Amino acid sequence: MAQLDNGDDKGDGGLTRQVLDSFEIVLYRWNLLTDEMSWMGADTALMQATGLATVRSGAALREMREDGKDRSDWALQAESGDHNRFVFAVPTGPAQVTWIEDQARRTEIDGIPHVIGLMRRLGAPRRIHQGVTPPWSEREGRAMLARFLGEQGIDRPRSYILFGIDNLRDLIRALGPDLADEIIAEVDFRITAARPAGSRSARVSSALIGIADVNADTETLPRLARRIMDIVGRTAVQTSSGPVNVTVSAGICHAPRGSHLPADPLANAIVALDEARIGRVEGLRFSHNGDGSVSLRDRYVSGARLVMDAINEGRLTIAYQPVVRAGQRNMVAFSECLARIRDPQGELVPAASFMPAIEHLGLIRQVDREVLRCALATLRDHPGQRLSVNISPQSMHDSEWIAILEQGRDACPDACDRLILEVTEGSAMIDPPRTLAFMNRVRKMGCAFALDDFGAGYTSFKHFRDFRFDAVKIDGSFVVGIAHNRDNQLLLRTLSSIAEHFSMFTVAEFVENTEDAAYLVEAGIDCLQGRLFGMPVLEPDWLDLPADTARLRA
């Protein structure tokens, strides 16, 4: 490997070498024409520990660095005299990395383009946080990123990538706010260090870090975001009380070339981030925007206003979809209650107009309360019926929701005995201990529980056993077209066998034709639900249909 002049042990050259070694600094020269790299300090402990001592070319350095492509692209595009600063991590142990600062300058040597620079070891990232990320206030950070994107022309792609720490509330509760601040600072550092050249980053709220990028397209953006997510979660965060494992999720608002960003790209990125987190430990979600499109925030705000007006004016009601006994399509086992809204003229509003707002703008508790009130009133007025309602993880810890249930039980003592609460796999797994505590409390009041979307892949067998669901509703993706789909047939029989082992009642959703229904009956599924047996209706003709009021519990 070519070497820069290391100097003698005596004189100014030797003194220079001693100073560089004492500060763990190495100098390099990179010939852009031949791709050869030469070093001063290649035999230092830093070079040996990180593997940089074996690097002989720009291509080799690019391969060992997460930001290698960004650095190479900058070097080839920069003009003589341009400076840049990179920070990258090199694994130096099973769960350890060394952070390195790379100060680079583009220059000409004998008419040949070169990059010359220095690399040095950085201390623990949280100790140098303020030296890497400018000390923006959150408001200044938001303004800076918005201004940067606004200054770019529509001839290049623009993206707002937003990262949020997963389960931050649990970390604060378990570790306290001071340690949480250390974790946030470290995550901020890692994201800032990993951002691509030419982008900008800033803390945009107490625990959200944004990156404004003007180079990545729809194909490379997911890779970029996942690379940064991987860097953040690769090693534990070293806090003053010990190591803590952390993951982040990402939401992206992207405007391709030739289109305009929405007025507030951060709001769209927040919506995408919220969607990425639903039912997942970590996730990534895109929000695309083009000319003439209405921003997600505008649609959600409009939907939220629609929902709140309907609740306040008594226009939120429920539709009932029958769940029938397998092989007995006129025998209704129970009906599922689904939220519906009427406009001021009394016409039904399409669910797509308000459901996203319910899910993403914090309205799910209010809607769950109203649906429960309506269901309890129906159970009181129709003693031969049995109903199910969906419950969100937020409502499991809502004291008002519990109060409504208790009031309904007091008004109609057997109402809870005829009420089934549907919980999705994702909801159950957000906080298993709290979910189990809620189920035990409500089950004592007489309610049964059904696991919705069974098979979607979140519930471990341990939690499946502990939750003791009374029924499972097999995810519709396994049911549609099952009469001719051998893979789904195998999966359904497996899910059904698991449910039978735990003495759980089975329901197949999304049953749309007689062939699928016949197969499900033959497979031993207990109940069927779907278009074949009835769409959700506001006024079912229960007087002419026999009602099966047997309890689901074995």
Side-chain angles (χ1 to χ4, degrees):
M1 176 171 58
Q3 300 283 323
L4 292 176
D5 182 10
N6 285 332
D8 301 329
D9 289 337
K10 300 177 181 180
D12 291 344
L15 178 60
T16 299
R17 173 62 187 273
Q18 292 176 25
V19 171
L20 294 177
D21 287 353
S22 65
F23 285 97
E24 291 191 293
I25 294 174
V26 294
L27 306 180
Y28 69 84
R29 182 170 63 201
W30 176 19
N31 186 321
L32 297 180
L33 187 62
T34 65
D35 199 38
E36 180 184 18
M37 291 198 70
S38 53
W39 304 85
M40 173 185 283
D43 56 348
T44 62
L46 172 64
M47 296 289 286
Q48 297 295 327
T50 59
L52 289 170
T54 64
V55 173
R56 302 173 182 269
S57 67
L61 183 61
R62 169 175 168 166
E63 289 300 316
M64 73 180 300
R65 293 172 57 161
E66 293 282 358
D67 65 346
K69 183 180 185 302
D70 295 331
R71 179 176 180 273
S72 296
D73 290 346
W74 170 81
L76 296 175
Q77 297 170 13
E79 297 181 358
S80 182
D82 287 352
H83 292 78
N84 207 339
R85 180 177 182 274
F86 302 89
V87 177
F88 64 100
V90 178
T92 51
Q96 184 178 16
V97 296
T98 295
W99 289 88
I100 297 175
E101 177 187 29
D102 178 1
Q103 293 275 6
R105 179 172 181 262
R106 175 69 187 270
T107 188
E108 303 283 332
I109 301 178
D110 297 330
I112 298 174
H114 281 72
V115 172
I116 60 174
L118 65 85
M119 294 187 190
R120 68 184 183 94
R121 185 196 302 267
L122 292 176
R126 56 190 170 89
R127 292 200 298 268
I128 63 159
H129 169 72
Q130 294 296 332
V132 174
T133 302
W136 308 102
S137 71
E138 293 162 9
R139 177 173 296 186
E140 290 171 337
R142 293 192 295 268
M144 184 270 291
L145 295 184
R147 184 169 57 251
F148 174 72
L149 289 175
E151 292 170 350
Q152 312 303 317
I154 64 172
D155 59 333
R156 62 194 312 181
R158 283 133 295 131
S159 303
Y160 202 121
I161 313 171
L162 188 67
F163 296 92
I165 300 173
D166 298 320
N167 301 321
L168 181 61
R169 182 178 299 178
D170 293 336
L171 292 175
I172 294 173
R173 185 168 61 240
L175 304 175
D178 291 339
L179 285 182
D181 286 343
E182 293 183 32
I183 293 170
I184 294 169
E186 164 73 353
V187 170
D188 186 4
F189 170 83
R190 294 185 183 187
I191 291 173
T192 300
R195 66 176 171 83
S199 65
R200 301 289 187 273
S201 65
R203 184 98 63 90
V204 297
S205 79
S206 59
L208 297 177
I209 299 95
I211 292 178
D213 182 80
V214 293
N215 292 309
D217 56 24
T218 54
E219 182 178 346
T220 57
L221 263 174
R223 293 201 298 269
L224 168 63
R226 291 201 178 278
R227 176 176 68 83
I228 295 175
M229 291 163 65
D230 178 63
I231 289 173
V232 171
R234 179 182 299 163
T235 58
V237 173
Q238 299 298 324
T239 71
S240 56
S241 293
V244 178
N245 291 310
V246 177
T247 63
V248 295
S249 294
I252 302 174
C253 176
H254 175 68
R257 288 183 177 88
S259 66
H260 293 283
L261 276 169
D264 188 354
L266 172 58
N268 284 259
I270 289 174
V271 170
L273 176 61
D274 288 343
E275 292 178 344
R277 285 171 159 170
I278 293 176
R280 297 171 175 83
V281 175
E282 65 172 1
L284 170 65
R285 186 67 177 244
F286 252 104
S287 164
H288 297 282
N289 194 76
D291 285 334
S293 65
V294 179
S295 74
L296 284 172
R297 184 184 65 169
D298 291 341
R299 293 202 300 271
Y300 287 179
V301 169
S302 176
R305 187 177 298 112
L306 178 68
V307 172
M308 292 311 300
D309 288 347
I311 291 175
N312 293 333
E313 298 169 12
R315 291 186 282 105
L316 189 148
T317 184
I318 54 177
Y320 307 88
Q321 184 172 30
V323 178
V324 304
R325 291 285 185 179
Q328 305 174 63
R329 63 180 304 159
N330 291 328
M331 182 66 71
V332 177
F334 64 95
S335 297
E336 180 178 359
C337 300
L338 302 167
R340 293 293 184 264
I341 287 176
R342 294 185 185 274
D343 64 20
Q345 289 71 43
E347 298 296 324
L348 281 179
V349 177
S353 299
F354 61 86
M355 287 306 298
I358 290 175
E359 294 172 354
H360 302 298
L361 293 186
L363 300 177
I364 192 66
R365 289 190 182 189
Q366 291 91 327
V367 173
D368 280 353
R369 294 168 189 167
E370 292 304 309
V371 170
L372 180 61
R373 283 193 183 98
C374 293
L376 289 170
T378 300
L379 290 170
R380 180 195 63 212
D381 297 338
H382 298 273
Q385 295 301 315
R386 188 164 203 184
L387 303 177
S388 72
V389 298
N390 294 278
I391 181 169
S392 66
Q394 295 92 331
S395 295
M396 291 182 193
H397 317 301
D398 179 14
S399 58
E400 186 171 342
W401 189 96
I402 292 289
I404 293 169
L405 182 64
E406 291 173 341
Q407 293 167 7
R409 178 198 57 188
D410 294 341
C412 179
D414 73 336
C416 289
D417 293 331
R418 294 181 284 121
L419 181 64
I420 305 166
L421 303 179
E422 297 192 17
V423 181
T424 65
E425 286 196 74
S427 297
M429 292 305 297
I430 288 178
D431 191 341
R434 294 187 72 182
T435 299
L436 185 57
F438 167 81
M439 292 177 66
N440 289 338
R441 177 181 181 181
V442 174
R443 186 174 271 128
K444 291 177 181 178
M445 299 171 65
C447 297
F449 280 91
L451 177 62
D452 201 6
D453 301 332
F454 181 44
Y458 293 101
T459 305
S460 69
F461 283 111
K462 176 184 182 300
H463 291 116
F464 190 81
R465 178 197 63 202
D466 294 342
F467 288 146
R468 295 184 294 113
F469 285 100
D470 303 287
V472 294
K473 300 184 75 174
I474 297 172
D475 189 73
S477 63
F478 301 117
V479 175
V480 175
I482 193 169
H484 304 289
N485 188 316
R486 291 185 178 275
D487 292 339
N488 280 354
Q489 290 174 7
L490 175 61
L491 290 169
L492 180 130
R493 290 184 181 275
T494 301
L495 296 174
S496 177
S497 176
I498 294 171
E500 182 180 3
H501 175 79
F502 288 99
S503 301
M504 296 176 183
F505 201 82
T506 53
V507 179
E509 301 179 290
F510 292 91
V511 183
E512 299 182 348
N513 59 65
T514 55
E515 286 184 293
D516 289 345
Y519 179 84
L520 293 165
V521 171
E522 186 274 333
I525 301 301
D526 296 307
C527 284
L528 309 179
Q529 178 182 7
R531 185 181 305 171
L532 181 64
F533 306 103
M535 297 293 288
V537 295
L538 296 177
E539 298 178 358
D541 191 10
W542 285 335
L543 295 178
D544 296 332
L545 291 176
D548 182 359
T549 59
R551 294 178 65 86
L552 286 183
R553 281 193 280 272

